[in-house]
Amino acid sequence: MSFVLAIVGRPNVGKSTLFNRLVGKKLALVDDQPGVTRDLREGAARLGDLRFTVMDTAGLEDANDDSLPGRMRRLTERAVGLADACLFLVDARTGITPTDEVFADILRRSGTPVILAANKAEGRAGEAGVIEAFGLGLGDPLALSAEHGEGMAELAVVLSPLIEAAEAKAEEAITDIDIEDGEEAAERTKPLQIAVIGRPNAGKSTLINKIIGEDRLLTGPEAGITRDSIAVTVDWDGTPMRIFDTAGMRKKAKVQEKLEKLSVSDGLRAVKFAEIVVVLLDAAIPFEQQDLRIADLAEREGRAVVVAVNKWDLEEHKQEKLRDMREAFERLLPQLRGAPLVTVSAKTGRGLDRLQQAIVRAYDVWNRRVPTATLNRWLAGMVEAHPPPAPSGRRIKLRYMTQAKTRPPGFVVMCSMPEKLPESYSRYLVNGLREDFDMPGTPIRLHMRSQADANPYKDRKKSIPSRLAKHVRKGATKKS
């Protein structure tokens, strides 16, 4: 069990900057305006020889109602209860504020070990704030600069005994676990990487909370609550998965603010690293232009796609609506023909079992491999049923076919004049692959190549053997 350190503090004191410093990469969004971080983000931290889990949290604000700041505060307080220790960050340049004093008292009574650190303490501008932090009663403050990496060695010295104590406690607990359980844990496969994408307020965070069985992600009626791409790990009905919650994607013309651009960019990056993409639609307004663009993006990235229609519990005429949606899906997204379309309710949890089965099946299809002999027998049948065209009176010959890759399935056909083969014939082959080898919905890449392209000596100049060249030179010398 990894030691968990939660970074807490007021908005804009540098929590996300320190988080990125500890994990060694820019995972959390950072901006000058306060309140950028809203959800809990975890990362594998490394500080010298120390290895632990660090948690970035939303800025603590003095709000107790059900407003967005109030829900953010409750999520941060939950992180404090889950963590092995808290790093309470204050701004050395601003000094100690009344809000800092309130939350210092809350942390003091939480029972979780607290490390006090004054960030932005580089130079003389932060000296007064560091001295002022002594008055919080949380021990000697560490002077840090998350942006410039100052004070990291001192932080490691303070963390080391806490991590050692937590590891010793974990080893005692492990001795009570059956050895067979440990063997089963070692046999678990690598978790599936799943990205949930869609328009704002489609219910992505609510869906993931229902899957993991706890309020891990911030939700609410406001559109655009999620900003970072937050990853949560869950064992869903025996299948380990890592699910990424992403920011809602609006039309490009409507995205004007820098922060929203960063959020959308973070979501696109999650799609590129995912294996399965769940495109979440709103049952009230499915298949709008933005939904189609998002689904097409996932297909172009080569990800396995599952379309989920949320808020199905609010729909009155379910059968008629489902029939219309299937017809619209086939018509508007022909490139995803056969992809699973699942109706769910993130609020009640209905349909989640079907969604899990659709994700597992889409992953299996995405990894499918077809034997070369089977492919070539299939290709001969397809050519016999519908021969390729004959431009300028010369028939294009499809000689050989093989599968070059999976994830997504990619095939290479060796043929004559590949540049003259029309796109319609390639679609004919792709549709045949989908139907005959049971690969519905997954992106299929089909490449046409001539045998000349595969010849490594195609562009190499012909050379005369060395002995023959020597005789040629001697003969030329005698003639001269």
Side-chain angles (χ1 to χ4, degrees):
M1 181 177 177
S2 178
F3 179 87
V4 179
L5 177 68
I7 305 175
V8 299
R10 288 187 297 105
N12 214 30
V13 294
K15 298 184 296 298
S16 295
T17 304
L18 180 60
F19 174 87
N20 289 339
R21 169 73 60 179
L22 292 174
V23 299
K25 59 182 74 173
K26 293 182 179 180
L27 289 181
L29 297 183
V30 177
D31 196 62
D32 291 335
Q33 71 181 76
V36 172
T37 302
R38 289 176 173 174
D39 283 291
L40 305 181
R41 176 187 283 276
E42 295 181 0
R46 177 175 180 175
L47 193 58
D49 295 331
L50 303 179
R51 304 290 183 273
F52 56 96
T53 299
V54 64
M55 188 182 296
D56 188 21
T57 65
L60 288 164
E61 297 187 62
D62 193 7
N64 295 311
D65 55 9
D66 288 330
S67 64
L68 181 57
R71 298 197 302 273
M72 290 163 61
R73 172 181 169 167
R74 288 198 297 271
L75 199 61
T76 299
E77 290 173 347
R78 182 172 174 273
V80 172
L82 295 173
D84 296 297
C86 291
L87 180 60
F88 183 36
L89 216 59
V90 298
D91 190 330
R93 294 178 180 266
T94 303
I96 302 303
T97 67
T99 305
D100 289 323
E101 294 175 350
V102 170
F103 294 121
D105 185 57
I106 293 174
L107 292 173
R108 194 183 300 109
R109 290 186 278 107
S110 68
T112 304
V114 179
I115 302 171
L116 177 61
N119 192 30
K120 308 179 186 179
E122 66 275 12
R124 293 185 177 181
E127 290 180 357
V130 175
I131 296 172
E132 194 177 344
F134 278 92
L136 293 176
L138 293 174
D140 296 348
L142 297 174
L144 302 181
S145 174
E147 186 171 358
H148 299 95
E150 297 178 9
M152 295 298 109
E154 290 79 2
L155 178 60
V157 171
V158 176
L159 277 175
S160 182
L162 295 174
I163 294 176
E164 290 176 1
E167 290 177 348
K169 187 176 180 180
E171 288 178 3
E172 292 178 2
I174 289 174
T175 57
D176 298 331
I177 299 176
D178 195 346
I179 296 176
E180 293 181 359
D181 293 338
E183 291 176 353
E184 290 178 2
E187 293 176 358
R188 289 174 185 168
T189 58
K190 184 179 178 182
L192 303 185
Q193 306 291 321
I194 302 168
V196 182
I197 62 175
R199 289 184 288 110
N201 215 25
K204 299 180 291 297
S205 300
T206 305
L207 175 67
I208 297 174
N209 281 343
K210 182 61 70 172
I211 291 171
I212 63 179
E214 58 180 287
D215 292 334
R216 172 67 171 74
L217 301 170
L218 190 65
T219 60
E222 304 91 348
I225 290 179
T226 303
R227 285 175 171 170
D228 297 79
S229 293
I230 306 298
V232 294
T233 303
V234 62
D235 192 289
W236 192 5
D237 290 343
T239 304
M241 298 184 181
R242 186 170 173 82
I243 307 176
F244 289 84
D245 184 24
T246 62
M249 298 181 184
R250 298 196 297 165
K251 293 181 180 179
K252 190 174 181 180
K254 293 185 178 181
V255 180
Q256 300 294 335
E257 295 183 4
K258 173 188 173 184
L259 187 56
E260 187 174 0
K261 291 180 180 179
L262 291 174
S263 299
V264 173
S265 177
D266 203 32
L268 295 177
R269 186 164 58 249
V271 171
K272 291 179 180 179
F273 285 100
E275 295 169 320
I276 300 100
V277 172
V278 177
V279 181
L280 196 64
L281 311 180
D282 189 329
I285 42 174
F287 298 115
E288 287 200 337
Q289 283 296 321
Q290 186 64 0
D291 294 324
L292 301 178
R293 292 191 185 98
I294 291 171
D296 184 62
L297 164 70
E299 193 277 336
R300 283 188 282 109
E301 289 293 338
R303 307 301 102 184
V305 177
V306 175
V307 178
V309 183
N310 191 24
K311 306 178 184 179
W312 195 244
D313 55 308
L314 303 177
E315 188 61 41
E316 295 181 359
H317 308 287
K318 291 182 170 55
Q319 295 299 326
E320 296 84 349
K321 184 79 170 186
L322 183 59
R323 184 179 62 250
D324 293 342
M325 284 195 305
R326 292 191 185 281
E327 185 276 329
F329 184 30
E330 295 290 332
R331 175 171 48 84
L332 298 173
L333 290 170
Q335 68 272 35
L336 291 174
R337 181 182 172 190
L341 177 67
V342 184
T343 57
V344 298
S345 171
K347 186 177 180 180
T348 65
R350 291 196 63 180
L352 293 189
D353 54 342
R354 297 195 305 272
L355 178 60
Q356 191 266 356
Q357 295 167 7
I359 289 173
V360 172
R361 172 166 168 72
Y363 179 77
D364 292 340
V365 173
W366 195 56
N367 284 274
R368 183 157 299 166
R369 182 171 287 278
V370 184
T372 300
T374 305
L375 274 176
N376 283 284
R377 286 195 296 270
W378 172 85
L379 180 64
M382 294 293 285
V383 170
E384 183 178 353
H386 181 47
S392 303
R394 297 177 58 191
R395 178 75 62 186
I396 297 176
K397 296 181 180 178
L398 307 185
R399 297 188 174 91
Y400 177 79
M401 184 177 185
T402 186
Q403 185 171 358
K405 63 183 287 292
T406 58
R407 307 165 58 93
F411 301 88
V412 176
V413 177
M414 308 302 293
C415 64
S416 62
M417 300 182 289
E419 68 282 354
K420 295 184 179 180
L421 192 71
E423 186 66 27
S424 58
Y425 199 84
S426 295
R427 286 197 301 270
Y428 161 70
L429 295 177
V430 168
N431 291 335
L433 286 169
R434 287 192 195 282
E435 295 177 5
D436 297 335
F437 295 108
D438 193 21
M439 292 190 288
T442 195
I444 294 178
R445 305 295 188 242
L446 185 65
H447 304 282
M448 300 293 176
R449 295 178 58 185
S450 68
Q451 289 186 326
D453 295 333
N455 184 2
Y457 301 100
K458 176 185 174 183
D459 297 323
R460 186 175 294 183
K461 294 181 179 179
K462 295 182 179 180
S463 59
I464 304 175
S466 57
R467 290 183 179 179
L468 181 59
K470 189 182 294 183
H471 289 298
V472 170
R473 286 195 297 272
K474 285 182 179 180
T477 305
K478 288 180 181 179
K479 288 182 180 179
S480 62

